[in-house]
Structures are given as C-alpha cells and as structure tokens.
Amino acid sequence: MASSIIRFSVFLCSFLFQYLLFFSQNLKGVLGQSSPVFACNVASNATLSSFAFCDTSLGVDARVADLVKRLTLPEKIGFLVNSAGSVSRLGIPKYEWWSEALHGVSYVGPGTKFSSLVPGATSFPQVILTAASFNTSLFEAIGRVVSTEARAMYNVGLAGLTYWSPNINIFRDPRWGRGQETPGEDPLLSSKYGSGYVRGLQQTDDGDKNKLKVAACCKHYTAYDIDNWKGVDRYHFNAVVTKQDMDDTFQPPFKSCVIDGNVASVMCSYNQVNGIPTCADPDLLAGVIRGEWKLNGYIVTDCDSIDVYYNNQHYTKTPEEAAAKAILAGLDLNCGSFLGKYTQGAVQAGLVNEAAIDRAISNNFATLMRLGFFDGDPSNKPYGKLGPKDVCTSENQELARETARQGIVLLKNSPGSLPLSPTAIKSLAVIGPNSNVTKTMIGNYEGTPCKYTTILQGLSASAATSYVPACANVACGTAQVDDATKIAASADATILVVGADQSIEAESRDRIDLYLPGQQTLLVTEVAKASKGPVILVIMSGGGFDITFAKNNTKITSILWVGYPGEAGGAAVADVVFGHYNPCGRLPMTWYPQSYVDKVPMTNMNMRPDASKGYPGRTYRFYTGETVYSFGDGLSYSTFNHKLVRAPKLVSIPLEEGHVCHSSSCKSLDVMEERCKNLVFDIHLGVKNAGSMSGSHTVMLFSSPPAVHKSPQKHLLGFEKVFLSAQREALVKFNVDVCKHLSVVDELGNRKVALGEHVLHVGSLTHSFSVRI
C-alpha cells in the first residue's frame, strides 16, 4: 500500500511539474515575453549587495567607477553596442538600448514589442503636425504620456528605458522623405519642440535632473536631410555646409536639446559634413556636444554608421582604424555590431587604449544609473507601479485627438464653406485614397495604436455619407472619376481626402516633384467641377505640395492640411469640419511651387540666396521666390486682431571706453557676456477675438534685422498660444533678450548684434526700432 502511495505521489509530482512547465511556457508565448530580469536585484541575490555599483546610497560617478573596474576588456567591449551583453557573475542582464518613441512607443527597434498584455500604445500625430500646434506645453505633455506608457511596458518586460527620439533635423528641402518626423523648417520652433518633448520624456516627478524617467535622444547630428534623391543617398552624401549656416540653422536645435532640454543622448548621422563623417568627427562630438554644450549622457551612432563610413565612404583603410576613430572622436555607443567586432583589434594594434573605452562605457552606465536600471526590481521604486492599465488610457487617447485638432491647418476657406452644419448637411460625399486609411494616419516610426478612427468614420458620426476611394492607393495610377463625380453631384457637400503615405515620402525615399501623386489632381478637379455643394480638400501628408490649382479653383471652397494625424485623426478632422473645434494650426514649413524644385538640387545645402547663380535660398528665413503657402500660414473660423501696447523705439548697447566702434562706423557688435547682461526689453501685444466663435490663436513674433552679414529677411523670435472666447481680449507678453533674440550669425560663425533699424512683425502689424551704441 505504502509503495502504491509513493508511486502515486511521484506520478502526481511529475504531472504537476510537467503541467507547470507547460503552463509557464505557454504563458510566455501568450504574453510574448519572459519575466523581466533586473540588474542589482539584491532581493533575489543577496551577494549582489557587496558590489558598490549596486549601492543606491552612493553617487552615480562612484557606482560607475566601481562597475567599470570589475569588467574585463571583452566585457567592456560588449557594452559599446546596442545589444549590450550580460555579465552573470555581476548580476547584469542583457540590455537592448534601441527603442523608439517618435510620437508614441514604437515597435521599431528591438527594444520594444507589443503582446496580448499590452497590445498597443497611444499613437500621437506625426511630429510635423504636432509642431503645427505651436504649443510648447503640448509638446511636453505628449512626452509625459509617452514616457509613462514606456515605463509601464518596461515594468512587464516589453520595453527598454532608452528611446532614440526626437528627430530635430531642419526640414530644409520639401522633397525630404523624413521631413514628416521633424518639427519643420524653423530653428526656434525645432528647438522649442525638441527641448519640450525631451523634458516630457525625461523629467521625473521630483524634478531631480540627475534622474531620468526615460532617456531621450536628439538626432540626427548634424546637417542631415537627404535620404535618397536621384541616386544620391545618405550613406555616401557629403554635406558641404558654411560655418554661418551650420551655426544659425543646423546646430541650434541640437544645442537647445542639450542645454535647455538636458537630453541624455545625441545620435550622430550617416552623412559626412565637409568631408568628415559626423560619427568620426572629434570637433563635432567631443568638441561641441560634450565640450561646449556639456552633454550629461552618451553619444550613439545611427545604426551601422561606423560600418557605413568604412565600407561605403571608405574613410579609413581598416575596420580597426574606423572603430578607433569613432571612440577617439567621443562616441560612446554603436547601434550595430561594428565596435563589438573590431575594438579588441584596435586596442591590440595600439590605435586606441582601454582608458578611452572606459570613458565611453562610463557615459553609458551613468545613463542607466540615472534611469534606475541598477537599482534592482523597480516595483517599489518611482514608476514601479505602472503597468498595462496605464497604457492607452482614455485621457491619453483624448490627448492624441486634441493634438491633431490643434495641429490641423486651415489653408483656404471661402464664405459659406467651413464649418459645415451637422443639421443642414443631409448627405456628404467622401472621396479619395486617404479617406478610410488607418496605418497611413500614424506615419513612420510608429507603434501599434490603441485603436483607429479614420476620416470616413469620423465624418460618418456626424452626417450620412457616401464613399468612393476613387484610387486604388495614393499612387492613383487610374482615378475612377465617374464613380466619384456621381456621388459628388448629388451630395450637399463633398470632402476629398488625398495626399501621400510612406510609399511616396519616407526614410530612404525622397520625392522628385511636388505634385499630388498620379491622377489625384485630375480627380480633385473633376470632382470639384461636378459637385453641387461646398468642396473641402483635405491633404494628408508630411511635406507640402504645389496645389496652386486648388488654391485658385473657386469651386474648391476650403483646404485643410492634416499631416499624418495619428490614431484619432479622423475624429479630429470631423471636429474641425463640423465646427466642434475652431482650427488654429499654422504651417511649420514653406509650401513651394514645382518651379522651385525644378531649379534647386537637394544636394545644395546653402540656406542663403545667391542672385548671381539664380539660387533663391531656402525656408521662409531666406527664400526670395513665390510660395504656394508660407511658413506660419493658417486660418481660423474667427478673426484675431493685434495691437501694439508696449515696445521700445530705441535700444542702447553700453560699450566700454576705447572700443573701436566709438570712433568708427560699425555694422554689428560681438555677443559678449558682459555686454549682454540685463540687455532685455518687453513687447506687450493686445490680441482680440473679433469673431463669434471661441478659439485658440498663435501669436508669432518675427524680427527683420538690418541687412548685414547676409542676415535672414525675417526670423521667429517667439510664439505664444492664447485661447480667447468670442469678442474677448488678452495681453500677450514677450521678453526679448537683445543678444539672444536679435543677434545674427556672421560669415565666420560668430554671433553679432546688428546695429541699425530692426522691424518687428505680428500678423499685419509692424513696429520699427533702432539698436545703437
């Protein structure tokens, strides 16, 4: 009997073991993850408490130094790459550095994945549309939501803590496929977006700058804005940039990201700048980012950039030399495997020493220390209680919708067109290849969204709709014009939704022209001709188009640009179309005519015009030609009036005795700390909503400096978003720092305050004042 009981007990134990093993394996499959392993988890391994790097009472530098000295050279090299190796004897698990969060937690990059536990995350509009809101508090609010969702996913083993976002390159040329990822063409707006989004991602609730909620990364440093145009690709392109353009156009967003945003990382780009790969340039990396700007964090390559400058650009003769150049230039982390393969050989060849590797991995470890990666199980630490319930909350999804609403730009609106009345419109024709798309709305570097609301779905919630896509896709090889005109002819109003998607503009895909793809123009024109009611043209795209034909067509009564409006884009478009929301977005980039790209090659990096060569310059700051729509354009259902309340007529700059400018005529003065101290003044503007509908309005303050040093014809000094009820007024104040806001960059890259007459612009209002010594 006893033996039977024993045999049964053994059988039962064996059965339970197999069952639990089966259950755990299948649970892992169901959740798409294994239980997360945390470094310095003293609770599960008490021996780790003897390591100083696991002691949270010590400072970051002391903990990092202790960790580095415990590693062998091969182990150190394992921490130079994004798929960082584990060191089991020290309780350090593998870590994947590469995650993305351009406009929400993304599945691009191996560090993040979705599963049945967290099937999606909030997908905000693509950055170019968010930038059109000109709302700095919104930029930060989005960052806070994204970092909360990222932390929630990290806690259950689905995400990392290091996110290689935002992209703050200048949208220099309208053909660039990645312009959609950026905040546009203006250095100030790009700086405000970058530093704001970074603060939202990184700042902890206690405001401690030595701690990080997640680590952001500003990219792609620098002068990177060609992907693949007419056979010229980013892997081979040498951006020839003047010192003046570098310092007043390409560098300011990165400088602001590091200094104002306190970003934890900067990513160097694929291209060369003036003959040197950015990831091998000691002046750009160690000199500027870490030396001048004092980066507190790590410098990472774009993926395989070292391999690119070795194999594609042939910058070095051996791979070991390529590895050494990157490390000696100030690089800390390689996205890719190149440093993992060739650093040991570089050390053995005497091309780089172990101390340089220690410096690089110390920057990497310090970032992980600030994130709490080496603090053990996060469940009892800040953000440790976040989980799946904190992803895709109703509040987060509503913010995605609100962001799209704030960014949508009304470019044209004839009397009696928008907003449509939900009660008066009994039938609505919805036509075009982007009317009912889902993934197109979230652009690139996307994640799985919480859910989608297409434009067709959004409109159908307020009116009876008939729908014809009219094109098989945005390429629109053959438009089904007859089907489209038939429903337009009988509808009370017609909405045409056209534009682009990632097959037209994307990473590694620049455009050749600025026309609507395929037969979209034919479709729009014929539908407008046949329509009996208002015709609203909706452009879904990252870059601008030459839609002069639509702008001038009186049958097309309204035009909306909606970017790639995110998961709730359709609801936001419907909110604007039916007047539930008063549009307030402004274009963050110039829309050029086709003639511009016919004569300007993408490869010409010069911002400033050259009349002798027929070169018209780039962006609203320098471009001298005609536009289809200009930077800052955007209408409202209300009229907003401005009046000047306070502004100086004269600004005097104190100069020390004996200065050369006392005795001779000077056009400008060097920006110097002593000279610039307390050199500020206020601009006060009265703003009135003269319409009958409440709404937000962006007050944009521009300045036109004297024509010295090939200065911009005008540039943005500041912007403020204000909400006004109908017929209400508000006072908007700008604090102008003379040396920061009124200075220009001279031909040698030095900042100067231009002497003479400056002109301020707000809408149609102008005010002149003199800057003198």
Side-chain angles (χ1 to χ4, degrees), residues 554-626:
T554 55
K555 286 283 286 178
I556 298 170
T557 53
S558 301
I559 301 175
L560 289 168
W561 175 69
V562 302
Y564 293 119
E567 64 171 42
V573 170
D575 289 338
V576 170
V577 165
F578 287 107
H580 305 309
Y581 190 88
N582 195 346
C584 57
R586 303 289 197 93
L587 285 183
M589 73 297 201
T590 303
W591 285 33
Y592 300 87
Q594 174 62 27
S595 57
Y596 175 77
V597 299
D598 286 339
K599 62 186 174 187
V600 176
M602 266 192 90
T603 48
N604 188 329
M605 299 294 291
N606 292 326
M607 300 301 298
R608 288 157 166 81
D610 185 342
S612 68
K613 296 179 179 176
Y615 183 70
R618 294 184 179 277
T619 77
Y620 81 93
R621 295 166 66 230
F622 302 105
Y623 174 59
T624 55
E626 295 294 315

Side-chain angles (χ1 to χ4, degrees), residues 472-723:
N473 49 47
V474 290
C476 200
T478 304
Q480 308 300 318
V481 173
D482 291 347
D483 294 342
T485 55
K486 185 176 179 182
I487 65 166
S490 60
D492 293 334
T494 297
I495 312 277
L496 278 151
V497 192
V498 297
D501 64 13
Q502 301 304 306
S503 71
I504 303 295
E505 52 179 0
E507 185 169 10
S508 300
R509 183 176 291 119
D510 299 323
R511 288 188 287 163
I512 301 299
D513 62 56
L514 301 181
Y515 296 127
L516 288 172
Q519 293 194 344
Q520 286 189 28
T521 298
L522 171 68
L523 173 68
V524 171
T525 304
E526 292 303 311
V527 167
K529 193 187 300 181
S531 298
K532 75 167 186 177
V535 177
I536 293 93
L537 177 63
V538 177
I539 309 284
M540 188 183 291
S541 69
F545 287 100
D546 183 348
I547 52 168
T548 306
F549 79 96
K551 182 181 181 180
N552 296 336
N553 187 337
T554 55
K555 286 283 286 178
I556 298 170
T557 53
S558 301
I559 301 175
L560 289 168
W561 175 69
V562 302
Y564 293 119
E567 64 171 42
V573 170
D575 289 338
V576 170
V577 165
F578 287 107
H580 305 309
Y581 190 88
N582 195 346
C584 57
R586 303 289 197 93
L587 285 183
M589 73 297 201
T590 303
W591 285 33
Y592 300 87
Q594 174 62 27
S595 57
Y596 175 77
V597 299
D598 286 339
K599 62 186 174 187
V600 176
M602 266 192 90
T603 48
N604 188 329
M605 299 294 291
N606 292 326
M607 300 301 298
R608 288 157 166 81
D610 185 342
S612 68
K613 296 179 179 176
Y615 183 70
R618 294 184 179 277
T619 77
Y620 81 93
R621 295 166 66 230
F622 302 105
Y623 174 59
T624 55
E626 295 294 315
T627 64
V628 180
Y629 289 107
S630 300
F631 175 89
D633 278 358
L635 304 172
S636 167
Y637 296 151
S638 298
T639 300
F640 292 89
N641 298 325
H642 310 102
K643 66 179 178 183
L644 190 65
V645 176
R646 179 196 288 183
K649 293 292 290 182
L650 173 66
V651 175
S652 295
I653 300 178
L655 273 190
E656 61 273 19
E657 274 189 55
H659 192 282
V660 65
C661 291
H662 283 303
S663 56
S664 60
S665 177
C666 291
K667 293 181 177 180
S668 63
L669 293 171
D670 288 327
V671 168
M672 297 172 62
E673 191 173 336
E674 313 80 50
R675 186 176 295 151
C676 294
K677 203 171 289 182
N678 301 321
L679 204 53
V680 296
F681 62 85
D682 288 334
I683 302 285
H684 291 185
L685 293 157
V687 185
K688 181 177 181 179
N689 181 350
S692 59
M693 187 174 180
S694 299
S696 292
H697 174 65
T698 299
V699 182
M700 305 173 76
L701 178 65
F702 292 93
S703 169
S704 291
V708 297
H709 304 303
K710 299 179 183 175
S711 59
Q713 50 198 0
K714 71 172 184 176
H715 64 268
L716 189 62
L717 292 193
F719 54 90
E720 289 291 336
K721 193 129 187 170
V722 58
F723 179 85

Side-chain angles (χ1 to χ4, degrees), residues 122-288:
T122 309
S123 190
F124 289 90
Q126 185 61 291
V127 175
I128 193 72
L129 188 71
T130 298
S133 73
F134 281 82
N135 186 342
T136 53
S137 62
L138 181 63
F139 305 156
E140 203 163 317
I142 295 168
R144 284 194 298 272
V145 167
V146 174
S147 58
T148 294
E149 295 196 345
R151 269 282 177 176
M153 293 177 67
Y154 169 74
N155 289 341
V156 294
L158 289 172
L161 293 169
T162 46
Y163 290 84
W164 293 346
S165 305
N167 179 343
I168 54 168
N169 293 118
I170 294 295
F171 197 171
R172 175 187 62 91
D173 189 289
R175 292 162 287 194
W176 188 32
R178 300 190 75 175
Q180 60 182 293
E181 301 172 29
T182 76
E185 70 182 35
D186 179 69
L188 178 74
L189 175 58
S190 297
S191 297
K192 295 282 190 186
Y193 176 83
S195 60
Y197 187 58
V198 165
R199 280 192 297 271
L201 287 174
Q202 293 193 165
Q203 278 186 350
T204 56
D205 294 343
D206 63 7
D208 186 345
K209 288 194 172 183
N210 286 318
K211 295 178 183 174
L212 296 165
K213 189 178 177 187
V214 301
C217 173
C218 288
K219 63 185 186 184
H220 311 80
Y221 181 83
T222 184
Y224 165 70
D225 49 26
I226 285 183
D227 266 66
N228 196 339
W229 177 79
K230 293 187 175 180
V232 178
D233 70 42
R234 59 185 176 169
Y235 306 120
H236 299 85
F237 182 58
N238 175 30
V240 178
V241 185
T242 67
K243 185 70 175 146
Q244 187 173 30
D245 286 343
M246 183 68 86
D247 287 342
D248 88 344
T249 296
F250 299 109
Q251 293 290 72
F254 290 98
K255 182 177 182 179
S256 177
C257 210
V258 175
I259 295 174
D260 303 323
N262 193 32
V263 76
S265 178
V266 174
M267 177 184 285
C268 52
S269 54
Y270 291 115
N271 56 292
Q272 296 185 354
V273 173
N274 299 326
I276 304 174
T278 61
C279 293
D281 191 330
D283 292 332
L284 285 176
L285 303 189
V288 175

Side-chain angles (χ1 to χ4, degrees), residues 17 82 156 177 373 410 412 450 488 530 577 619 645 743:
F17 174 79
N82 65 286
V156 294
F373 179 80
L410 179 62
K412 175 183 178 179
C450 309
V577 165
T619 77
V645 176
S743 61

